[in-house]
Amino acid sequence: MPVATPVRAEPAEVRLLGIRHHGPGSARAVAAELAEYRPDIVLIEGPPEADGIVHLAADPGMRPPVALLAHAVDDATAAAFWPFAVFSPEWQAIQHALAENVPVRFCDLSVAVQFADKSPDRGGSGDPLAELAAAAGYDDPERWWDEVVEHRRGDESPFEAIADAMTALREDRAAQGIREQRREASMRNGIRAARKEGFERIAVVCGAWHVPALREPLPPATHDRKLLTGLPKRKVTCTWVPWTHGRLASTSGYGAGITSPGWYHHLFTTTENVTASWLTQVARVLRAEDLPVSSAHVIEAVRLADTLAVLRERGLAGLAEVTEATRSVLCGGNDVQLDLVTRRLVVGELLGAVPDETPQAPVAADLTARAKSLRLRRDALEREIDIDLRAPNGTAKSQLLHQLRLLGIDWGVPSMSARRGTGTFRETWTLCWQPEFEVDLIAAGVHGTTVPGAAANTLRDEISDDAPLAVITTAVEDCLLAGLADALPDVLSALDTRAAADTDATHLMAALPALARAARYGDVRETDTGQLREVAQRMLARVCAGLVRAAQGIDEEAAIEMSRLVEGVHGAVGLLEGATEPWLGALTALANRDGVPPLLAGKVVRLLNDAQRLDSVEVALRLGRALTPGVTPAAAAGYIEGFFAGGALVLVHDERLLRVVDEWLTAVPPEAFVEVLPLLRRTFGAFAWPERRSIGERAAALDRPGARPANTENPVDDDRGRAVLPVISRLLRASGGAR
């Protein structure tokens, strides 16, 4: 909006408002000071590159928390954020300037210089709040600042006292680091520029630490020009992005973070009954989790918080008081429930919004449009959605989320559904939007201008000539899941070429399961997977031909890996038409070869038994040979581990196998039993408890042919059983069930 540039009639007055970057007391004090002072320009510590978009803060679609995002044009990963909440003093200063139609500018060191500066910095401010708090007798700087500044509601301005305290602190400190010197030189230049343009009433909102460096008299301009002249620069651009309260918290790693953004928001937006309204919100959170919290609980909690404030000589109950009241009264001393309140309220996950006309990178703009058309809203709290792939809208949602995952943007993460189902037509996703995804969207611009275009080019980059076969196969699956039909021919061509050149059967086995899974998507996603099935069939043929050779002469570690690969391929062949017989033939050939590691041999025999290619008599003979006295206990235990890793039901239902295992166990020498015990524990410990109990009962009855195991836990009382028979007989006659 156009603003008039005043003509200076007398020396300009500069009012310095030293603040903490986020806090309700600081924000309230800045708003009051600006309303009283009525400046004709407002300067704010922040990136000067954002001056061109600061006017968007007045748009009704702009809802804090939001952040300024600056990034290098040539490398989007070189990025920085300047977050603002409604209780941020800088945000209130921006709102005042825009409402009063006066210029508002950022006056910190240019981001272009900051991104290009690689020199090490020495010195710095450290934590001035900690020193002031210690001088006041506090061991917690956060609590001291809250009591002195953030919880204040009086009319007295705190800025002179803060400036004097910071001046005293800086006198005792070593010289500022070069970066801090440059930043303060830029702020002073901003003041000089405003004076030169004729502004008479200049308000500067900056971190309290910088106030002494901006006080009159300013050093000569030549001094600051010397600090800033000739510095390297990078081309940067700025925009507004949504932010969250969670990302304002110090636990998120944000440098100017605070511990309780949700509480600060409440303090700033609530004018009456602060304690009562807060504890009422706490009660709502607990009730939403079906926890018993009544109005009487809330009343008692308010009384306790207010009493604690009086005892501590505080004018208003602070976060410490309401937290203690919450723990004691509303949570009954349960810290798990208190942690829930902290996450939902004290920190909170409020997600801001920016106007539609906010400049966006092409990929980010495309995502915004697609998400809006699919009614996928961005939430900072995790939520679960079920997607029906039979519906066009559901397929489009799934494809968009898979495309974003290819770009490294995990807005959605596949999860197990609470609803049971075995069909492939439904997917469950856990959605949670993170502000940092905005940077990832900008970085994705090097691959394309749309989400699917960038995802497709990312896949093409992954299937380079030296990419492992398993990576290329996974890329095929990703391509189908994400609906990237344009990239599928390139990926399939790379897969066919790589598979034909790879003679290592283990590589083919590692790649085949993902390829077989991908082949089934033709049913639900209406994707033509004919070429895909042809490639999979050729790969399986090479696996079957090379399986026996790949399993010969391998050590124990390789046997474990081979066993895993065999199991993976076995599960995959059922998805490929006509693949079962060739594969079972290859397994039979492997099972009949000598020199196969015991673990792998046991696994293969078990798979053939489950597929009914070996009957129980043959399986018992093979198991008996593997457990003969001539076989070392360690090798026998390995065979058992491989065979029974598929489950315990075969032992429950086949007494012949159970007897073979029982006889072997009883014959293991005591000195060797300690050696095989870990393997046996690993094998049998994986069985379900009812299976282990049933095996034990059947094993106990082996020496008594025809005997049934006694039910020692729930013995049947025959006399009590006979006593209920007359009643049951009458009930059956009354219902017509007996004659």
Side-chain angles (χ1 to χ4, degrees):
M1 59 186 69
V3 293
T5 301
V7 178
R8 185 176 63 186
E10 57 186 33
E13 177 187 357
V14 179
R15 188 164 297 188
L16 303 175
L17 308 182
I19 47 87
R20 189 188 189 193
H21 290 295
H22 308 290
S26 298
R28 196 176 289 111
V30 165
E33 191 77 12
L34 293 177
E36 182 272 330
Y37 181 47
R38 300 185 63 82
D40 49 29
I41 186 171
V42 177
L43 305 179
I44 299 174
E45 178 185 334
E49 288 85 352
D51 286 349
I53 59 171
V54 70
H55 67 278
L56 291 173
D59 192 291
M62 183 79 78
R63 298 192 306 273
V66 292
L68 284 170
L69 165 61
H71 66 89
V73 173
D74 59 345
D75 180 10
T77 59
F81 294 97
W82 286 261
F84 302 95
V86 69
F87 52 81
S88 299
E90 299 94 333
W91 181 258
Q92 292 302 314
I94 291 172
Q95 294 300 311
H96 172 89
L98 295 176
E100 296 296 325
N101 198 28
V102 300
V104 54
R105 301 175 185 170
F106 293 103
C107 61
D108 204 341
L109 181 64
S110 167
V111 183
V113 172
Q114 295 188 49
F115 283 174
D117 185 12
K118 304 300 182 182
S119 60
D121 194 31
R122 294 181 177 83
S125 59
D127 185 5
L129 293 186
E131 294 191 27
L132 293 175
Y138 286 75
D139 57 1
D140 184 354
E142 289 280 339
R143 187 164 63 90
W144 172 80
W145 183 263
D146 282 352
E147 292 188 14
V148 174
V149 178
E150 304 307 346
H151 289 168
R152 60 180 299 279
R153 290 180 175 268
D155 297 328
E156 183 181 355
S157 172
F159 297 114
E160 279 300 319
I162 292 174
D164 291 341
M166 294 301 169
T167 300
L169 281 178
R170 287 179 68 119
E171 290 175 353
D172 295 334
R173 291 292 184 92
Q176 291 281 85
I178 187 62
R179 293 181 186 174
E180 288 295 296
Q181 293 180 43
R182 289 170 179 166
R183 292 183 62 199
E184 292 173 350
S186 296
M187 296 179 198
R188 290 191 291 266
N189 278 348
I191 296 173
R192 294 189 187 102
R195 282 176 170 169
K196 187 175 181 180
E197 293 176 41
F199 293 103
E200 299 178 1
R201 303 172 67 80
I202 303 171
V204 181
V205 181
C206 63
W209 178 255
H210 302 299
V211 169
L214 307 183
R215 274 181 159 178
E216 299 289 352
L218 298 180
T222 54
H223 172 271
D224 292 338
R225 281 198 297 269
K226 184 178 179 181
L227 285 172
L228 300 174
T229 300
L231 296 178
K233 295 182 179 180
R234 296 178 70 176
K235 189 176 181 180
V236 300
T237 186
C238 282
T239 188
W240 288 100
V241 296
W243 204 249
T244 68
H245 276 175
R247 283 296 179 268
L248 279 172
S250 55
T251 54
S252 71
Y254 169 48
I258 52 180
T259 58
S260 50
W263 168 250
Y264 275 5
H265 180 87
H266 178 76
L267 283 181
F268 188 78
T269 57
T270 306
T271 57
E272 297 180 353
N273 301 320
V274 175
T275 304
S277 60
W278 174 261
L279 291 171
T280 300
Q281 292 182 54
V282 173
R284 291 196 190 103
V285 168
L286 296 174
R287 287 169 183 162
E289 299 296 324
D290 294 328
L291 296 171
V293 178
S294 66
S295 299
H297 284 98
V298 176
I299 294 171
E300 188 60 33
V302 172
R303 287 175 177 169
L304 176 57
D306 289 341
T307 302
L308 289 172
V310 171
L311 290 174
R312 295 168 181 173
E313 300 181 350
R314 301 190 60 177
L316 176 70
L319 180 60
E321 287 72 36
V322 297
T323 299
E324 291 177 34
T326 298
R327 176 190 285 110
S328 301
V329 180
L330 301 182
C331 297
N334 190 320
D335 283 337
V336 174
Q337 296 179 19
L338 184 65
D339 288 341
L340 173 67
V341 173
T342 300
R343 292 195 309 272
R344 298 280 180 84
L345 279 184
V346 179
V347 174
E349 284 298 344
L350 179 65
L351 177 66
V354 299
D356 292 339
E357 57 267 30
T358 303
Q360 288 184 299
V363 178
D366 181 62
L367 173 60
T368 300
R370 290 173 182 269
K372 185 176 181 180
S373 66
L374 295 174
R375 297 183 180 178
L376 278 174
R377 70 177 189 275
R378 303 183 188 187
D379 285 333
L381 287 174
E382 284 190 0
R383 63 188 181 95
E384 190 177 273
I385 64 170
D386 284 312
I387 295 177
D388 188 343
L389 298 176
R390 296 169 296 183
N393 182 272
T395 301
K397 286 180 179 178
S398 172
Q399 289 175 347
L400 177 61
L401 294 173
H402 279 293
Q403 290 164 8
L404 290 173
R405 297 202 77 200
L406 289 175
L407 297 175
I409 302 172
D410 290 334
W411 179 13
V413 177
S415 60
M416 295 295 295
S417 174
R419 296 165 52 190
R420 295 184 180 272
T422 57
T424 61
F425 61 84
R426 184 167 54 84
E427 287 181 344
T428 301
W429 293 80
T430 300
L431 301 185
C432 183
W433 183 260
Q434 303 293 342
E436 291 83 354
F437 293 158
E438 301 287 349
V439 176
D440 297 327
L441 288 170
I442 296 170
V446 301
H447 299 290
T449 58
T450 65
V451 174
N457 288 329
T458 300
L459 269 184
R460 292 187 179 100
D461 292 343
E462 290 180 356
I463 57 172
S464 58
D465 293 339
D466 57 347
L469 182 59
V471 170
I472 301 179
T473 309
T474 302
V476 174
E477 186 176 18
D478 291 337
C479 197
L480 293 173
L481 288 169
L484 303 176
D486 293 342
L488 185 58
D490 296 334
V491 180
L492 285 178
S493 176
L495 174 63
D496 203 9
T497 302
R498 186 74 175 85
D502 199 326
T503 58
D504 191 330
T506 58
H507 293 170
L508 297 172
M509 294 172 70
L512 187 61
L515 196 59
R517 288 194 303 269
R520 72 180 179 183
Y521 299 135
D523 298 332
V524 179
R525 300 175 185 271
E526 300 181 358
T527 304
D528 183 7
T529 57
Q531 184 181 357
L532 184 61
R533 286 191 292 271
E534 292 177 6
V535 175
Q537 293 285 2
R538 289 197 293 270
M539 286 179 59
L540 180 62
R542 287 194 286 272
V543 167
C544 293
L547 178 62
V548 174
R549 184 174 64 254
Q552 294 289 319
I554 57 177
D555 59 17
E556 181 179 355
E557 185 176 348
I560 295 174
E561 177 64 15
M562 179 59 74
S563 179
R564 184 187 65 80
L565 292 174
V566 165
E567 190 170 13
V569 173
H570 188 77
V573 294
L575 303 175
L576 299 173
E577 185 178 353
T580 303
E581 283 303 316
W583 170 247
L584 292 179
L587 288 183
T588 302
L590 181 61
N592 293 332
R593 291 295 293 266
D594 296 329
V596 178
L599 176 71
L600 179 58
K603 168 64 68 177
V604 171
V605 170
R606 176 58 186 269
L607 293 177
L608 291 172
N609 177 67
D610 291 345
Q612 298 182 349
R613 293 297 290 261
L614 293 177
D615 58 26
S616 61
V617 175
E618 177 65 20
V619 170
L621 289 174
R622 290 175 180 264
L623 185 62
R625 286 199 297 267
L627 302 182
T628 56
V631 178
T632 64
Y639 193 96
I640 287 178
E641 181 181 5
F643 184 86
F644 290 110
L649 290 180
V650 67
L651 273 182
V652 174
H653 298 294
D654 195 325
E655 183 175 313
R656 185 184 293 105
L657 296 183
L658 179 63
R659 188 177 296 278
V660 170
V661 174
D662 181 68
E663 291 175 354
W664 172 75
L665 277 174
T666 56
V668 174
E671 61 275 9
F673 189 78
V674 177
E675 179 184 353
V676 300
L677 182 59
L679 292 175
L680 296 174
R681 287 179 60 88
R682 186 167 62 196
T683 302
F684 292 97
F687 297 164
W689 181 84
E691 293 175 336
R692 296 200 301 269
R693 175 184 173 185
S694 179
I695 291 171
E697 291 177 347
R698 291 178 62 83
L702 285 177
D703 293 332
R704 294 179 286 113
R708 296 178 58 187
N711 188 346
T712 57
E713 288 191 6
N714 300 293
V716 177
D717 189 326
D718 293 337
D719 293 336
R720 296 182 65 186
R722 281 191 292 270
V724 302
L725 291 179
V727 177
I728 294 176
S729 178
R730 292 183 61 185
L731 291 173
L732 291 174
R733 283 197 297 271
S735 64
R739 294 289 186 267

